[in-house]
Amino acid sequence: MPVAAGTKRKATTTAGGSKSKKGRTVDYTASQDLVDALLTASDPEDVTITSADALSLAEYARHLEDEVDQYKPKEKSASDVATAAAKLRSVTASGIKKQMTWKPSCRTGGAKFSYDGICADETVFTTMLKIDAPLKWKMKKFTAEEFESAMGSIYGSARYNTLYLRGNVTVRYSTSEGTFKMSGKFGI
């Protein structure tokens, strides 16, 4: 049966109904009230706690610990860092290659490129450039050979010529913003 434009099909349901993917939620208001009573009491010895109250406080504390753990950044394994670095390396090299097109200044090796990227994780960035992990610099100059040994072969083509990196490649990294900039020259 054809469906008219602009109308939605009726949802099909199963006999059991849909189940929530979230775990069951527990009401911790009694535990929160007990904590408030303990903290606001002028004399903490006036407040009595039963074993059931102690158990609910322990469950509430465990719930809060689990909630805090959810927001902590996950540690990346060495293979995850290597995978992210390889992906960032290929994207960066591709972005630089796209800028390597023919310009009249290519004859003298003075055509410029500038690539801006984002990498919030410093270990991924240092792995990409194959340098030591804690960065001690905001800007560093690499020779074209050093840069290509870390990033792979970077070249462009223009008709009957091949364009290569020339001179130094300047790399800037801002740890606070998680951004980097690579600039340099290329030519015949």
Side-chain angles (χ1 to χ4, degrees), residues 58-134:
E59 289 174 351
Y60 181 56
R62 180 57 49 100
H63 167 73
L64 291 176
E65 287 174 353
D66 292 342
E67 218 172 87
V68 167
D69 285 342
Q70 289 176 354
Y71 295 111
K72 285 184 181 176
K74 304 290 187 253
E75 290 279 332
K76 288 187 177 181
S77 66
S79 64
D80 290 342
V81 169
T83 303
K87 184 176 180 181
L88 184 62
R89 185 180 297 121
S90 68
V91 168
T92 303
S94 174
I96 292 171
K97 285 179 185 179
K98 285 181 183 176
Q99 294 182 34
M100 294 176 76
T101 57
W102 178 257
K103 298 174 178 100
S105 57
C106 287
R107 288 190 190 115
T108 60
K112 296 181 180 181
F113 73 88
S114 177
Y115 181 81
D116 294 329
I118 298 173
C119 180
D121 193 355
E122 186 177 330
T123 56
V124 172
F125 183 74
T126 55
T127 304
M128 175 187 74
L129 288 176
K130 298 178 182 174
I131 55 177
D132 294 332

Side-chain angles (χ1 to χ4, degrees), residues 98-170:
K98 285 181 183 176
Q99 294 182 34
M100 294 176 76
T101 57
W102 178 257
K103 298 174 178 100
S105 57
C106 287
R107 288 190 190 115
T108 60
K112 296 181 180 181
F113 73 88
S114 177
Y115 181 81
D116 294 329
I118 298 173
C119 180
D121 193 355
E122 186 177 330
T123 56
V124 172
F125 183 74
T126 55
T127 304
M128 175 187 74
L129 288 176
K130 298 178 182 174
I131 55 177
D132 294 332
L135 286 179
K136 298 173 184 160
W137 47 265
K138 291 183 180 179
M139 182 199 65
K140 183 170 177 149
K141 290 190 177 193
F142 292 92
T143 65
E145 293 79 25
E146 290 172 341
F147 188 74
E148 284 190 340
S149 70
M151 298 292 292
S153 180
I154 298 176
Y155 61 91
S157 60
R159 280 203 167 181
Y160 306 110
N161 290 319
T162 303
L163 305 172
Y164 299 101
L165 295 178
R166 300 287 181 219
N168 293 330
V169 177
T170 304

